[in-house]
Every structure is written in C-alpha cells, then in structure tokens.
Amino acid sequence: MNLKRYRVNNIKEALKFIKRDLGPDAMIVSTRQVKESSGAFGMFGKTMLEVTAAASDKKKDAAQANVPATKALETYSGTTETSETALANTFLTPKNKSVLSVTDETRKMMLPIQKELHGIRLSLGDLSSQSSGFDKHVMGELKHELGEMRHMLHILASRSSTLAEPDLPENLLLLYQQMKFSGLEERFSRRLVLEAQRNMTAEDIDSFAYVKIFIARMLMKIIKITRGLEDLKSSQKIVALLGPTGVGKTTTVAKLASEQILKYKRKVALISVDTNHNSAAGQIRSFAKKIKAAFSVVKDKADLNRVIDSYKDYDSIIIDTDGCSQRNDKQLFEMREIFDKRGRIHNALVLSATSKDNDMNEVTRKFGCMPIDSVIFTKLDESTAYGSLFNHAIRFKKPLSYLTVGQKVPEDIEVASSERLVDLLLNISGT
Ligand SMILES: Nc1nc2c(ncn2[C@@H]2O[C@H](COP(=O)(O)OP(=O)(O)OP(=O)(O)O)[C@@H](O)[C@H]2O)c(=O)[nH]1
Ligand SMILES: [Mg+2]
C-alpha cells in the first residue's frame, strides 16, 4: 500500500498532489492542522493542512488507526434537543433502513430474480391454503429460506451499487471519505454529510472543525448506549454473555466479575452454561477460584434457574456460555431454550470488532432468536475499521454496553460511550 503525506495550504492543493502521485482512486486517510515551526517556539509559524492519503483499496492495511484513550469529545456532548438530535432521529427511522442506492443496471439484473421470488411466495401461499394438513414445519423452513434469499439479494444489491462521489464542499467531501475509509457504509456516510450540508451555514461548512463536530454530534445521537450492569434496574444484576466462538466471552466475563468485585465491592457468582457438553468450563472455574467467587456449571434451563435461585444472596451473577456458531442451528436452538424469555437475565451479545460486516450481520440475525438487550464489542485494539461498529448500531439499533480493548484482565474493558466511539471513527482527539 502506498501512503503519502502532504503539507498544503488548502485541501484543493492536496487533492491536486494526491491525484498526481497516487491516482484518482486514492483515499484521504487523515487530515490535521499543523503549525510550521518558525519563530520562537514556532509561535509565528503558518498554519498548514497536513493530509495523509493512501493508494490502496485494502482498507485493512491502510487504516492503522490506534485506539486513542481520550474523551475529548465530551465537551461537545450536550444533551439538549439540538438539530443533530432531529437529524439522528430521521436517520434512524425504519424507512431509511431499506434505502438502497442501486444502479439501473443492477436493478435490471435483479428484476427476474425478484419476480421468481414473488412467484414462489404466491405458490407457497396457495399450497398452504389448499392443504390444511400441510406441514407447518416445512412451511416455516421454506419461508425461512425465502427470507435468507431476500437478504442475500439485498447484500448483492448494496455491493453492486456503484455510486459517484457526492458533489460537496471540500470539508464535507473530506469527512465523507474519512468515514467511508473507516468502514462506515457508503450510504450512511453520504446521508450524514448531506444532512450536515442541509443544516449548516456555508460559513460553518468552511470550518473543517465545525463540520467534524456537527457530524460527530449526529453520530453520538444515533449510537445507543447503556452503562452495562450499572444500568440494570433490578437489585440483583444478572447478565449472560452470548455469541459466536472465540470472540472473547469468557475473558469478558472475567473482566466484568473483577470489576464488580474490585470497583463496586459486590458479592459475585459465576455460572458457566455448558450446552456443548464438552466441559470447557475449566478456564472460568479456575478464575472463579482465584477471585473467590461462587461458581456453578449448568446444562439446561431448569438447572440454570435452580442455581440462580440459590444465589439470591449475591449482588451480581455473570453467566458465561459456550461459543455457538451462527450456522449451528441445533446449538442455537438449545441456547434459545435457555435464554428465550425476556426476564431477569440481561442478554449481552458479544461481537468481535475485527469481524467482517456481513458476518456480524449474520450472527446478529441468528442470535436474534433470543432477546438481545445489549451488544459488547471486543478486540477494539485489533480492529482498524471502526465503521462496522456504527453500521451495526445503525442497522440493529441495539444499545452498546461494553468495549474491550485487550487481553488483560481486569483492565482492558470500558463501559461503552458514544464519545469514545465517535472519536474512534473520526479521530476528533487527534486533530
Ligand atoms: N486483542 C484482544 N484479544 C482478546 C480480547 N478479548 C479476548 N481476547 C482474546 O481472544 C481469545 C478468545 O477469548 P475467549 O474469552 O476464550 O473467547 P470465547 O468467546 O470465550 O471463546 P469460546 O468459549 O471458545 O467460544 C483469547 O486469546 C483472549 O485473550 C480483546 O479485547 N482484545
Ligand atoms: Mg469461552
């Protein structure tokens, strides 16, 4: 990948150089204002724009973003009803969920498939009304298949949409590129900058900082946050961590348990749900022993209820589960039997920030067979494209509870905050 940095007077100048050196497909990775060092302590130095651009479409390589631990955005996170709130709300309305920017060419290609699907649906309807004995299970399976096909078509359509860059003032175009580069879906990035353009004065748009803050505030309103265990209303805090294999569930259980004991001085019990029957609870068992927490392994719902009842003197109960592939319907079914009802347990879906957008979508849809109260994103330290966290939050509207940023127990965990997430995407603190 080819990375180049330029110091220029304005963005137009930078774009000229970037096009010349890196070609028309180059992307702007970051921009910041710098002072040329001249005069005493650089005091009289001219303010220049430093632009870094990359000529590669391999986002993974290019976005070597670090994880800034700052909360610089807090100063901007007012809670009053602002125009950003209204904009964020329009952004979240269901009608926008299905907005697809599909080219005419793609639409033409999709038409016969859509017709075919429509035909199948009609035939299914006929079949079920004609035959009262038609197996409900088969019917359900077929409907499910249809749903999957429709979803795939949706993905295909969004992938094949080839859109021209929006015609925007420089600062908005820059932000648009930056967000896209960080993995925020094109249509979300586009919508954000267009909303900003509609709602900002031309004078404000001339300031890159203003534009960035305006968009940051919109994004902060869009992202839903819950302060994890601390937001649970019940006197006894019970949380279960669900999710695919290897995302960091057990490590996060250990971090949460440590926090409950060390920071909040609470009495903690740990439970491991072993649906795989592979006795993989060893890791968490020895951890429980180390931190002197009560510990049980359970196999099914009755078992779990009995153990929870026996822990009524404990302040917090944290439940670890076996990793469950979203493709393993049998195991998902067993899991659903246990965590089906909305009740005293807060179900947190654990996702790795390093996963691909489509995989995260599939996992969330499949785990959606259980009530999901919040999402925990792990491995932020290993991720380079934070846009997918936003794509997920916008698509599924699930509140985020925790972020984990490393392997170390107990320290590598944070209660999710919208300031932090927006900072990851826009690098506010680095400018
Ligand atoms: N870099 C990084 N690694 C992490 C983080 N959280 C967990 N890990 C690592 O990810 C690996 C898997 O973690 P586990 O906690 O065993 O994952 P799990 O979801 O319980 O896995 P299964 O129970 O097998 O499904 C381990 O090597 C952890 O140290 C994190 O925030 N950052
Ligand atoms: Mg585990």
Side-chain angles (χ1 to χ4, degrees), residues 236-248:
Q236 191 182 39
K237 299 173 188 304
I238 312 179
V239 62
L241 271 58
L242 311 164
T245 51
V247 287

Side-chain angles (χ1 to χ4, degrees), residues 244-251 255 323 379 381-382 404-407:
T245 51
V247 287
K249 296 177 296 300
T250 306
T251 313
K255 290 172 183 171
K379 309 195 185 184
D381 54 309
E382 287 186 354
T404 79
V405 291
Q407 293 179 293

Side-chain angles (χ1 to χ4, degrees), residues 22-91:
L22 300 173
D25 293 333
M27 300 271 278
I28 290 171
V29 183
S30 68
T31 57
R32 65 185 185 116
Q33 289 193 325
V34 286
K35 264 206 158 173
E36 291 280 87
S37 54
S38 72
F41 309 109
M43 271 163 65
F44 305 109
K46 195 176 158 197
T47 303
M48 303 285 283
L49 187 65
E50 188 179 274
V51 180
T52 309
S56 166
D57 54 6
K58 284 186 194 149
K59 294 178 187 182
K60 183 162 87 53
D61 300 339
Q64 285 296 337
N66 52 2
V67 181
T70 167
K71 297 203 168 183
L73 261 173
E74 261 164 13
T75 34
Y76 311 122
S77 59
T79 49
T80 46
E81 181 70 17
T82 60
S83 55
E84 292 92 357
T85 315
L87 295 177
N89 288 339
T90 52
F91 206 78

